[in-house]
Amino acid sequence: MNNESITLKLYGNGFEEIHSHAFNGTTLISLELKENAQLEKMHNGAFQGATGPSILDISSTKLQALPSYGLESIQTLIATSSYSLKKLPSREKFTNLLAATLTYPSHCCAFRNLPTKEQNFSFSIFENFSKQCESTARKANNETLYSAIFAESELSGWDYDYGFCSPKTLRCAPEPDAFNPCEDIMGYDFLRVLIWLINILAIVGNVTVLFVLLTSRYKLTVPRFLMCNLSFADFCMGLYLLLIASVDFQTKGQYYNHAIDWQTGSGCSAAGFFTVFASELSVYTLTVITLERWHTITYAIQLDQKLRLRHAIPIMLGGWLFSTLIAVLPLLGVSSYMKVSICLPMDVETTLSQVYILTILILNVVAFLIICACYIKIYFAVQNPELMATNKDTKIAKKMAVLIFTDFTCMAPISFFAISAAFKVPLITVTNSKVLLVLFYPVNSCANPFLYAIFTKAFRRDFFLLLSKFGCCKHRAELYRRKDFSAYTSNCKNGLPGSNKLSQPTLKLTTLHCQYTAVPDKTCCKEC
């Protein structure tokens, strides 16, 4: 190479790699490497020993990274159809960059709001002039500015450049769109705090419910079986939120450099699968639980009409298959999880994708209406003055109101805005939709373990009995054992089947009771 200023047009030459000092001793005006389809690597020192280039074109190559040295002189960067270039060097290295035409819109976010002297390094030399530009009222020909700085005799014979008072701004394309604005995954700081609190609450609450129900010594009934399914679905929602929160934490402040890897990678696909599967299985299971409660109360006397476990298993198997199918479709090209950073299927470009989104939303609305109708029927069915007191009616009504309210809070905002977006009339931005994602979308996943399990007497009994196995809360567990024993003996006196002999667990219960009354327990971790 020589010291002459040259333009190198090396496109379509089949290069695979550019080594260190490849342009040593050369003053490069323009370096065109486009259409080298096999070019995958450019050594960090490729521009060492060279001056320039001012223009770099790496379009239609497989370059995965730009060299870290020599980028300061680049004023124009062209990298269209460079799909392997998913991460750019630090934006501080592009001190003279004025125009960039890139492949991914998110990369343009790196060059937004740069200080002027980083956008146009040469202009920083005239920093004092720029202050004068702002403070001095200029005429059209800028004579006032120059006369304010120099004496009139010094201005004679000068060839003025009147443009330096207007700093050049960096132009970048393609611009980020409405689905991928220049922001982190969680656009607001308060959302970062809330999403961690909510996902921890959802995971811990549902894991606790699953562990207690699956380790209980009591028979697995239909309500317990359904509650296990609901807890697993809500646990998956917690995993989705945990995954989103973790990636947001890792990419905070530099998401534009990780957006492509995240949204096109397996992580976002897994997160999208988790949230759609969890959402649909949760809605399906809530509907089944509500129908089971209504059926049990309506046909309480007709024992032959009672829902058995052998009936519930195929019903829930259908729910699992349905939820899995709905969650897999975006992976097969029906809508997409890659559209937005929160990995929801928001792609409605095709008619099939629109039908997919609308089908999910309509099914969820129908499920909500079924839940409301069943709870209203349940309330009127149990509102019998001969069976219970008025205060119990009030308690039941309040509990049902809470259940319906949490369902409505979770589904109504999401459904409303999603339906409008499905018809390509979005009423909310992606940034604001993240507020819905954190504050409304996971409401059921956090509330369900408490409303359907933890706040019930049966769960508290199982929970304390489980703790007693580890030496804790033995006194409270013994109270529940006594209640169970009293209920059993009462059934025996009423002539219920099995009253002629005590079962093995009951014999153990009486023996344990004798031990507790004879010797004060000193090994209890605490009195509950």
Side-chain angles (χ1 to χ4, degrees):
M1 295 295 179
N2 53 53
N3 292 324
E4 296 180 4
S5 298
I6 60 174
T7 296
L8 288 180
K9 297 183 179 181
L10 303 176
Y11 45 85
N13 282 313
F15 293 134
E16 296 181 0
E17 182 179 353
I18 296 179
H19 295 279
S20 178
H21 294 83
F23 309 101
N24 187 35
T26 305
T27 300
L28 293 172
I29 298 175
S30 176
L31 177 60
E32 298 183 18
L33 297 170
K34 62 182 179 180
E35 297 178 9
N36 284 284
Q38 304 304 317
L39 181 58
E40 296 182 359
K41 184 177 181 181
M42 201 170 183
H43 197 277
N44 280 333
F47 295 130
Q48 282 186 336
T51 302
S54 298
I55 301 173
L56 178 62
D57 188 348
I58 55 170
S59 300
S60 302
T61 64
K62 291 184 179 179
L63 279 176
Q64 299 179 9
L66 289 174
S68 58
Y69 177 85
L71 301 179
E72 297 82 3
S73 61
I74 296 177
Q75 295 183 358
T76 302
L77 175 63
I78 304 173
T80 58
S81 301
S82 298
Y83 299 104
S84 298
L85 187 64
K86 297 179 180 180
K87 188 173 182 179
L88 294 179
S90 173
R91 60 185 181 181
E92 286 77 15
K93 293 185 178 294
F94 296 95
T95 53
N96 279 308
L97 190 63
L98 299 176
T101 305
L102 308 172
T103 304
Y104 299 110
S106 59
H107 286 161
C108 284
C109 298
F111 303 114
R112 284 197 172 187
N113 303 320
L114 277 176
T116 304
K117 65 181 180 181
E118 290 184 53
Q119 289 185 0
N120 186 5
F121 182 71
S122 62
F123 182 73
S124 64
I125 299 173
F126 302 100
E127 189 170 359
N128 292 331
F129 285 7
S130 66
K131 294 177 182 177
Q132 190 66 35
C133 288
E134 296 173 0
S135 61
T136 306
R138 294 179 294 150
K139 296 180 181 179
N141 59 3
N142 290 305
E143 289 177 358
T144 305
L145 169 65
Y146 285 91
S147 62
I149 301 175
F150 303 103
E152 186 175 349
S153 60
E154 295 176 312
L155 294 175
S156 59
W158 279 30
D159 184 14
Y160 305 128
D161 179 10
Y162 297 122
F164 77 87
C165 275
S166 299
K168 298 177 181 178
T169 57
L170 191 152
R171 302 185 310 276
C172 188
E175 285 286 334
D177 56 19
F179 286 99
N180 293 282
C182 289
E183 63 184 20
D184 292 329
I185 296 180
M186 291 289 104
Y188 303 101
D189 287 334
F190 79 93
L191 290 181
R192 285 194 174 93
V193 177
L194 285 176
I195 195 172
W196 279 103
L197 293 176
I198 292 172
N199 82 70
I200 291 173
L201 183 63
I203 291 175
V204 172
N206 287 290
V207 166
T208 301
V209 171
L210 276 172
F211 183 72
V212 171
L213 291 179
L214 294 176
T215 57
S216 174
R217 67 186 181 90
Y218 292 93
K219 181 182 177 182
L220 183 65
T221 60
V222 171
R224 286 171 176 270
F225 172 72
L226 296 177
M227 191 61 232
C228 286
N229 283 269
L230 181 61
S231 295
F232 180 79
D234 293 335
F235 170 73
C236 289
M237 181 63 75
L239 290 181
Y240 162 74
L241 295 174
L242 177 62
L243 193 55
I244 293 294
S246 300
V247 175
D248 175 67
F249 177 78
Q250 294 172 0
T251 62
K252 182 181 178 182
Q254 284 196 345
Y255 179 69
Y256 56 83
N257 249 343
H258 303 273
I260 308 306
D261 275 334
W262 165 243
Q263 290 178 219
T264 61
S266 58
C268 191
S269 297
F273 177 87
F274 271 129
T275 185
V276 173
F277 172 80
S279 177
E280 295 313 302
L281 184 60
S282 180
V283 170
Y284 182 91
T285 309
L286 281 173
T287 307
V288 174
I289 288 175
T290 308
L291 288 171
E292 188 272 336
R293 287 183 173 183
W294 168 78
H295 183 273
T296 301
I297 291 175
T298 304
Y299 301 99
I301 302 177
Q302 304 176 26
L303 296 179
D304 59 324
Q305 297 289 331
K306 187 177 181 181
L307 185 67
R308 308 289 180 180
L309 196 59
R310 65 176 182 269
H311 304 136
I313 290 176
I315 291 174
M316 286 311 304
L317 180 61
W320 277 69
L321 293 175
F322 168 76
S323 303
T324 303
L325 175 64
I326 293 295
V328 165
L329 285 177
L331 300 177
L332 302 178
V334 181
S335 192
S336 174
Y337 294 130
M338 300 187 294
K339 189 74 172 178
V340 292
S341 60
I342 52 179
C343 306
L344 294 178
M346 290 189 174
D347 187 357
V348 291
E349 295 300 320
T350 65
T351 303
L352 187 59
S353 297
Q354 287 181 291
V355 171
Y356 167 77
I357 298 296
L358 288 173
T359 300
I360 293 177
L361 296 173
I362 291 172
L363 288 175
N364 289 349
V365 171
V366 170
F368 172 73
L369 295 176
I370 292 174
I371 291 172
C372 291
C374 285
Y375 276 124
I376 291 171
K377 287 190 174 184
I378 289 172
Y379 176 71
F380 285 114
V382 299
Q383 195 181 29
N384 188 339
E386 297 179 358
L387 297 178
M388 60 182 64
T390 307
N391 62 333
K392 290 188 177 180
D393 285 344
T394 305
K395 288 182 179 179
I396 291 174
K398 287 181 179 179
K399 287 181 180 179
M400 292 179 180
V402 171
L403 293 174
I404 294 174
F405 176 75
T406 55
D407 287 341
F408 180 80
T409 302
C410 177
M411 297 173 62
I414 301 293
S415 299
F416 175 74
F417 290 111
I419 289 174
S420 67
F423 285 108
K424 298 184 179 182
V425 188
L427 302 176
I428 189 172
T429 63
V430 171
T431 301
N432 293 331
S433 70
K434 294 173 183 178
V435 178
L436 295 181
L437 169 73
V438 176
L439 296 183
F440 296 97
Y441 189 53
V443 165
N444 275 351
S445 299
C446 295
N448 286 340
F450 293 92
L451 297 177
Y452 288 87
I454 295 176
F455 288 161
T456 63
K457 292 181 180 179
F459 180 87
R460 290 198 294 270
R461 176 196 64 196
D462 292 344
F463 180 72
F464 285 113
L465 290 177
L466 177 63
L467 288 181
S468 68
K469 294 180 181 179
F470 299 97
C472 298
C473 300
K474 289 185 176 180
H475 177 71
R476 189 67 174 269
E478 176 60 19
L479 293 177
Y480 281 109
R481 289 190 181 97
R482 290 178 182 179
K483 288 182 180 179
D484 287 348
F485 182 70
S486 299
Y488 180 85
T489 55
S490 176
N491 289 339
C492 292
K493 290 179 181 179
N494 291 332
L496 293 180
S499 61
N500 56 341
K501 62 178 181 178
L502 292 175
S503 64
Q504 188 175 355
T506 308
L507 291 174
K508 290 182 179 179
L509 173 63
T510 55
T511 306
L512 184 62
H513 170 64
C514 293
Q515 291 174 352
Y516 268 77
T517 53
V519 182
D521 182 29
K522 296 181 181 181
T523 61
C524 183
C525 294
K526 64 177 181 177
E527 286 294 323
C528 300

